[in-house]
């Protein structure tokens, strides 16, 4: 299914969750391109991009590549190999490009190196699937949801990562936008796949 050993790609996406992203993206790719928010080093990109490549579609991959809150210097998930000492900032874009090259996805994935809200400002392309896995603050999660969920076409998927119904297991913002999507009446939730929430646009 995948062109490279997925365990060789830095990231936090579980294999079962990744397989579900691949299967659902492949199922709806005929409805339009897919889009992800929060690419990091490209683990989810390989799953989604491989499905889009098989379907002769496109994946837009949005990430400012400066890391989320937890990736910053001194934080729990900081990776020194991704730190740009010259600018004093985290930078995952070089590693991301290496992943695309290794996975032979450079002609399928369109990297958009920008904050989510900036990329969304003039967005007008209908999307078959949107995968939200960007910043996990409430502000970032709400911004991603409000900016991108409306672009999912009927029959398409909104996918949200790190949904923890039990507050003891993880942060609340992804769970809150997962609930918000259901309350909107526009999306029907499927059973969670570990921490992956899948919602079909009705």
């Amino acid at each position: 299914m995948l062109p490279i050993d997925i365990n060789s790609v830095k990231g936090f996406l579980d294999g079962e969750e990744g397989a579900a992203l691949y299967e659902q993206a492949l199922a709806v790719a005929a409805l339009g391109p897919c889009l992800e928010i929060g690419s990091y080093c490209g683990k989810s990109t390989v799953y989604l991009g491989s499905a889009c490549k098989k379907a002769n579609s496109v994946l837009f991959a949005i990430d400012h590549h400066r890391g989320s809150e937890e990736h910053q210097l001194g934080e729990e998930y900081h990776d020194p190999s991704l730190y740009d000492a010259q600018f004093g900032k985290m930078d995952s874009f070089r590693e991301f490009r290496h992943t695309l090259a290794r996975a032979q996805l450079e002609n399928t994935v369109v990297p958009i190196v920008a904050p989510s809200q900036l990329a969304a400002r003039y967005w007008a392309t209908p999307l078959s699937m949107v995968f939200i896995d960007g910043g996990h603050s409430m502000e970032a999660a709400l911004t991603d949801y409000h900016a991108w969920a409306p672009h999912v076409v009927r029959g398409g998927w909104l996918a949200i990562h790190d949904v923890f119904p039990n507050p003891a297991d993880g942060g609340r913002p992804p769970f809150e936008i997962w609930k918000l999507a259901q309350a909107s009446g526009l999306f029907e939730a499927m059973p969670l796949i570990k921490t992956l929430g899948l919602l079909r646009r009705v």
Side-chain angles (χ1 to χ4, degrees):
M1 179 178 73
L2 299 179
I4 59 174
D5 175 10
I6 198 64
N7 294 319
S8 70
V9 182
K10 294 177 187 284
F12 311 98
L13 186 70
D14 175 86
E16 189 176 340
E17 296 170 338
L21 287 177
Y22 175 91
E23 291 168 7
Q24 301 308 331
L26 188 60
V28 298
L31 301 176
C34 298
L35 181 144
E36 69 172 2
I37 303 115
S39 303
Y40 190 49
C41 296
K43 181 164 280 192
S44 60
T45 316
V46 171
Y47 283 106
L48 291 167
S50 296
C52 288
K53 183 177 182 178
K54 185 172 182 178
N56 196 31
S57 186
V58 166
L59 171 67
F60 295 99
I62 298 174
D63 198 315
H64 47 58
H65 288 284
R66 293 304 189 187
S68 299
E69 302 84 356
E70 67 272 16
H71 298 142
Q72 303 309 314
L73 189 65
E75 297 299 323
E76 183 179 2
Y77 293 104
H78 176 69
D79 184 339
S81 71
L82 300 178
Y83 187 69
D84 186 341
Q86 181 179 356
F87 291 98
K89 294 180 178 180
M90 183 267 193
D91 186 355
S92 59
F93 187 55
R94 180 183 175 88
E95 186 71 18
F96 177 73
R97 290 198 68 178
H98 285 175
T99 300
L100 293 187
R102 290 195 297 123
Q104 300 180 332
L105 290 173
E106 291 175 302
N107 291 322
T108 299
V109 177
V110 182
I112 300 176
V113 185
S116 170
Q117 68 272 23
L118 178 60
R121 187 176 296 175
Y122 293 106
W123 192 269
T125 302
L127 300 165
S128 65
M129 186 172 191
V130 168
F131 176 48
I132 297 177
D133 192 21
H136 283 18
S137 69
M138 186 58 75
E139 180 182 3
L142 285 172
T143 295
D144 291 342
Y145 171 72
H146 288 302
W148 296 104
H151 295 291
V152 179
V153 299
R154 287 187 176 182
W157 290 105
L158 173 64
I160 303 170
H161 193 224
D162 291 330
V163 175
F164 295 103
N166 184 348
D169 293 334
R172 303 307 287 162
F175 174 79
E176 295 298 336
I177 63 169
W178 179 68
K179 296 295 288 184
L180 192 63
Q182 294 174 65
S184 72
L186 298 176
F187 294 93
E188 179 185 1
M190 303 295 110
L192 288 173
I193 300 171
K194 294 193 173 179
T195 73
L196 178 66
L198 287 168
L199 306 105
R200 184 181 291 277
R201 177 69 187 265
V202 294

